[in-house]
Structure formats: structure tokens, C-alpha cells
Amino acid sequence: MSAIRGSFLDFVADPFYYPELETVRYIHDGLMIISRGIIQELGNYDKLKPKYPEIPIISYPGMLILPGFIDIHIHYPQTEIIASSSKQLLEWLDKYTFPAEGKFKDQTYAQQIASFFLDQLLKNATTSALVLTTVYPQSVDALFEVAELRNMRIIAGKMLMDRNAPDYLLDTPETSYEDSKNLIKKWHGKGRLLYAITPRFAITSTPEQLHLAGVLKQEFPDVYVHTHLSEQKSETEKVAQLFPNSKDYLDVYEKFGLVSNKSIFAHGIYLSDSEFNRLSQAGSTIAFCPTSNLFLGSGLFQLHTAKSQQTPVKVGLGTDVGGGTSFSIFQTMNDAYKVSQLQGQNLSSLKAFYLATLGGAKSLSLEDKIGNFDVGKEADLVVLDTRVTPLLKLRNSRNNSDLLTDIIDELFTLIILGDERVVKATYLAGNLVYEPNIMSI
């Protein structure tokens, strides 16, 4: 049993639908009791400390402690091609992505990149992620093996592609089915690891492959579906050509039984009202990836439509490395704020941090395990220094204020000015796994 002392902030409801100040829980001087990786109690330090006189306490005075961030769309094989200049999506895939993914046939190489990749997440305060791999099963094994060492909650799956990609990256409907089935049996539910059936997007899968992906989902209804949807106009036009009998892009996936409450669709920029409505009815999720959308010139995601009362859709944040330009959820929130501003909308700091924590957990149907500090949940948390740089120190010159309004203002400064230097410590299941200049697995 262990204890952590500091200022705790998390969410108990969705600020898109309830008065914002009623959705946040803030304890200025709090104490969290952790046993076997699970939160046992959280409350005011003065009240809880007498109950646990012998427990050693790790204190973070002046620090802000939040649930670990959740990244719901990121490509680990694209780590080495981040910041690669090109035209828009389809050319970028041909020029950079496909050659990079070809290297992951080598499992030793895949393990090296996977280890570096997960370390980058942890140093950027991300404790859970939904990750795309490659067509090679060994690339999935590599990621899960290094994630298991860290006891990190990772969802991933073998990518399915049987057309419109280089020959060395193509599988077949039959091999994609068999490989995925074997990987599901091997990894899904092992420790904190979960599996996602992962067709890259409709352009790179034949109807036969998507059919067998749907068969997998029927056979293993508890696994996820993770793919792309309506990222760019040229993509949607190509999908319409390849699937002329489908009424829209979403309908392609619907026809094969791939749209459910455990389906996560990245981007969703060019969705019709009908598609928003059907995603809402299915309980599906959209991964909002603003740094990637801006970098690749894809467009502006309509967050206000997705989070409307009329068509509420689950939304989480995705860095989408390597089309995305940073592993940092701070930078992702920064660009999300700007994307909203460009559409005449305002993304408050509480709404942004909700998407990065409890909203991300709900988008992955994991709100019973992660996302906030409720008793019984896994103790994934991050310790943030809101005055770590000279500029943040000047901007956040309060003297350890206990006012929630001051804390909300500080959260916004982290969105605009924060980066990995803000992260003082990262914990997975109650264990310290990252401090600046120290990485522990």
C-alpha cells in the first residue's frame, strides 16, 4: 500500500452537457491511497492521514495531479517519420508511411521502435493509448510485449490491407482473418492489453477482407474496431468509387458489421448529418486528431456537432503520430482549441482536459477502469508542474491558490504553453514509471 499527496483534479461528468464547474473534482491538499495498483481512497489530507499513520507518503507540493492522458489514435510504426513534409494524405502515405511500415517485418526492429514509442508517451503524460501497428503480426507482438513490461493499458491490432498498397505490405482476406484471430486469442485481455480489429481504411481493404473483419467481430464481440473515416475529400471520393453501392463512407463499415459501441473512427471531418446521427445511435467514437488534420491539410473537425445534444457522439483526442506533429496531448489540445476557434466555437480548458482523461476513457468504453480518480479504478496518474518554465512561472504567478477558478486558468496555460517539461512524474497502476531524466520499466 502507498500514498500520494498533492493537489488532485479530475472529472465526474461531461462538461459538454453539464455546468462545467459541477463536472470537476478538485482537492487542494489531497491524499490518494493505492493498493495493488488500485485507488482505495481519495480525500483531504488532514482527514485521511490519521487512518493510515504507517503508510509512506510521496508528496508533490505545489504540483497538480491529474489522471493519465488517453491517446485514442496513434501509429507507432510512424514514429520515425514524424515531421516529414509532403502534400496531402494519399501522397504522404506512398512517400513516407508505407516504406517505414515495411521495416516492421523485423520483430527486433519493431521492438526497438515500440520501446522508444511507449517511452515517448509516458514522458508526455500519456498512460493509455489505442495504437495502430502494421500488416505484420510480429509488429503487434512487439508492441504488446514491451507494453506488458510496463504494465501499460494499450489497445492495438494487426493492420488489414489487401489492396492499394505496396506488395510487401499486402495480406489476403484469409491470412488477415487467421492472423488476427490468433493474435486476439494470444493478447486480448492479457493483463492490461486489449485487441482491436484494424482495417487501415476502406481504400486498402477489399469487400472480402472487410467481410471477414466483420466475422471476427461477431466471433469476438468484446474486441474493438479501429479504422479511419472521412479524413480528406480525395479519400472520400476514392471510397465512393470503390464501393459504389454504399450510400456514404460510414455505410461501407456498417454493411460489414464494423460499427458498434466499441468502434473508433479516426478523423470524421467530412461526415454528413446522417453519419453523425448513425454514429450517435451506434455509440461509436470519433478520434479528434487536430495536429494531424492541420499538418496534412485535411480540414476542421466539427467537435460542436459531435458533442451536440442532437447527435451526441463519443469523442477522444488522438495525436495521430506521425501525421500528427507531437506526442504531446498538450499540443493536441492546443490545436483543438484553434480548430474550434476557426469555426466560431470555444473549447474551454475543462472541456479539453475532459477529452484527454475521462472523455477518452468513455470513448474506449473503459470508464470503469481509467479516466478519473474514483475508488476502485486503476491508479494511472500524472504529476504536472504548472510553473516549470520561466514563462509559465510568470503567467501562473499565484501563490499556491486553492481556488478552482485559478486552477482552471492554469489548465488553459498548459494547453497553450505546456509540453513534456510540465510532466514531473508519470504513474502506471500506482508505480512510478517516469521522472525527468529517469525512465523506469
Side-chain angles (χ1 to χ4, degrees):
M1 191 171 282
S2 61
I4 295 175
R5 181 182 183 182
S7 296
F8 291 86
L9 184 145
D10 68 340
F11 292 87
V12 296
D14 188 339
F16 286 90
Y17 302 120
Y18 297 93
E20 289 197 9
L21 293 180
E22 296 177 12
T23 67
V24 65
R25 170 171 47 192
Y26 176 62
I27 305 173
H28 174 62
D29 185 11
L31 187 67
M32 177 181 286
I33 309 299
I34 301 169
S35 177
R36 297 181 180 180
I38 302 299
I39 299 169
Q40 299 298 308
E41 283 197 76
L42 174 66
N44 290 311
Y45 174 82
D46 290 340
K47 292 182 178 180
L48 276 187
K49 180 61 175 72
K51 292 179 62 177
Y52 302 93
E54 305 300 326
I55 295 180
I57 296 174
I58 302 172
S59 294
Y60 292 102
M63 303 291 138
L64 190 59
I65 303 175
L66 271 71
F69 295 157
I70 300 168
D71 188 337
I72 75 164
H73 183 74
I74 186 170
H75 299 248
Y76 100 86
Q78 294 179 16
T79 299
E80 66 176 297
I81 64 166
I82 192 171
S84 296
S85 175
S86 183
K87 293 183 181 178
Q88 295 189 340
L89 175 65
L90 299 182
E91 180 181 303
W92 185 82
L93 289 172
D94 289 334
K95 187 175 181 180
Y96 299 110
T97 303
F98 292 151
E101 291 184 3
K103 299 178 182 180
F104 285 76
K105 189 174 184 179
D106 180 344
Q107 186 165 351
T108 299
Y109 178 79
Q111 286 177 324
Q112 292 171 350
I113 297 298
S115 182
F116 179 88
F117 167 83
L118 292 183
D119 287 350
Q120 289 298 306
L121 292 181
L122 293 173
K123 74 185 296 184
N124 281 282
T126 296
T127 55
S128 299
L130 174 58
V131 184
L132 293 104
T133 63
T134 74
V135 72
Y136 307 116
Q138 55 267 37
S139 72
V140 183
D141 287 329
L143 177 66
F144 279 144
E145 285 166 3
V146 297
E148 187 177 31
L149 285 174
R150 291 158 175 77
N151 194 25
M152 191 172 183
R153 187 164 285 286
I154 293 293
I155 308 170
K158 180 193 122 60
M159 194 170 283
L160 315 182
M161 295 197 297
D162 66 339
R163 64 172 171 180
N164 292 323
D167 289 344
Y168 58 83
L169 284 178
L170 295 181
D171 55 12
T172 69
E174 293 75 21
T175 59
S176 67
Y177 171 82
E178 291 298 333
D179 288 343
S180 298
K181 189 171 186 175
N182 291 335
L183 288 165
I184 291 169
K185 291 179 177 179
K186 182 177 183 180
W187 291 111
H188 185 64
K190 184 180 182 182
R192 303 183 76 196
L193 307 175
L194 298 166
Y195 198 87
I197 300 165
T198 313
R200 181 181 219 109
F201 61 162
I203 291 174
T204 50
S205 287
T206 60
E208 292 76 18
Q209 185 170 69
L210 292 175
H211 167 71
L212 287 178
V215 171
L216 277 172
K217 178 61 177 171
Q218 287 180 331
E219 293 176 343
F220 301 95
D222 189 46
V223 304
Y224 295 82
V225 172
H226 183 202
T227 188
H228 296 79
L229 174 67
S230 296
E231 182 175 358
Q232 292 199 342
K233 288 183 178 180
S234 59
E235 171 203 1
T236 61
E237 292 166 357
K238 182 69 172 178
V239 169
Q241 294 172 5
L242 292 172
F243 297 90
N245 295 324
S246 293
K247 60 185 177 182
D248 53 37
Y249 199 157
L250 183 63
D251 188 49
V252 174
Y253 298 126
E254 288 173 325
K255 278 180 162 52
F256 297 105
L258 298 173
V259 180
S260 75
N261 65 346
K262 297 191 80 171
S263 297
I264 295 87
F265 298 99
H267 308 298
I269 294 173
Y270 298 101
L271 296 175
S272 65
D273 290 343
S274 172
E275 287 171 299
F276 272 116
N277 185 56
R278 283 145 49 208
L279 286 168
S280 176
Q281 291 179 344
S284 299
T285 290
I286 298 174
F288 180 18
C289 307
T291 72
S292 170
N293 298 157
L294 295 174
F295 178 72
L296 292 173
S298 301
L300 307 178
F301 173 60
Q302 300 175 56
L303 178 62
H304 55 287
T305 302
K307 297 296 292 183
S308 68
Q309 295 282 354
Q310 294 73 33
T311 56
V313 178
K314 294 184 293 186
V315 176
L317 296 176
T319 59
D320 196 23
V321 167
T325 56
S326 174
F327 282 87
S328 173
I329 292 292
F330 295 119
Q331 182 61 53
T332 304
M333 291 188 286
N334 183 317
D335 283 343
Y337 175 82
K338 295 169 184 174
V339 166
S340 295
Q341 289 288 99
L342 286 169
Q343 298 175 86
Q345 304 292 322
N346 180 262
L347 180 64
S348 70
S349 59
L350 290 184
K351 288 178 179 176
F353 275 90
Y354 169 81
L355 293 176
T357 56
L358 184 58
K362 288 185 175 182
S363 74
L364 299 177
S365 301
L366 289 173
E367 66 271 24
D368 62 326
K369 294 180 173 63
I370 57 175
N372 69 6
F373 294 142
D374 284 352
V375 170
K377 292 192 179 182
E378 298 161 356
D380 290 351
L381 55 94
V382 292
V383 181
L384 307 179
D385 185 346
T386 63
R387 286 169 283 180
V388 69
T389 68
L391 184 56
L392 280 169
K393 186 175 182 180
L394 176 67
R395 177 62 177 81
N396 296 329
S397 58
R398 67 178 180 87
N399 184 22
N400 201 26
S401 171
D402 61 355
L403 296 176
L404 179 56
T405 51
D406 288 340
I407 302 303
I408 292 171
D409 185 55
E410 286 197 359
L411 290 176
F412 187 74
T413 69
L414 297 185
I415 291 173
I416 304 303
L417 303 173
D419 56 32
E420 64 189 49
R421 292 172 293 178
V422 168
V423 183
K424 181 77 171 178
T426 303
Y427 286 78
L428 293 177
N431 292 314
L432 178 65
V433 292
Y434 171 77
E435 286 182 320
N437 303 316
I438 301 173
M439 181 66 72
S440 170
I441 58 170

